Amino acid sequence: MLGDGRRLPMGDRSVDAVTTIWLPHLLDDARPVIAEAAGQGLRLSGESRFVGHGQGRSGGPDPVFRLLAFTSW
């Protein structure tokens, strides 16, 4: 399903879980996306970070990405 993460294109409380990968680091502010998940009755159930080895720009350090998981239980 393709949609705006700030306004999920599905009915309230119609899914049991949402996972984001390769998203939070692309957003200037991930709070509206997280708030939308919370507004759908989902709660943050897990978070992890991983290093994007070899993805540092212009010889800079490798970026660290966030993995978020939301569930209804």
Side-chain angles (χ1 to χ4, degrees):
M1 180 180 302
L2 178 63
D4 185 326
R6 296 167 296 178
R7 290 182 307 280
L8 296 173
M10 59 193 70
D12 289 353
R13 302 181 189 276
S14 63
V15 299
D16 291 325
V18 172
T19 301
T20 67
I21 302 171
W22 296 103
L23 175 65
H25 72 282
L26 296 174
L27 305 174
D28 291 332
D29 183 3
R31 290 176 295 186
V33 173
I34 294 168
E36 172 65 6
Q40 295 293 327
L42 301 175
R43 60 183 160 79
L44 184 63
S45 61
E47 179 176 349
S48 186
R49 297 175 186 276
F50 62 94
V51 176
H53 295 288
Q55 296 180 12
R57 294 185 181 161
S58 302
D62 289 333
V64 177
F65 300 108
R66 293 174 69 195
L67 168 68
L68 303 174
F70 300 90
T71 60
S72 62
W73 9 272

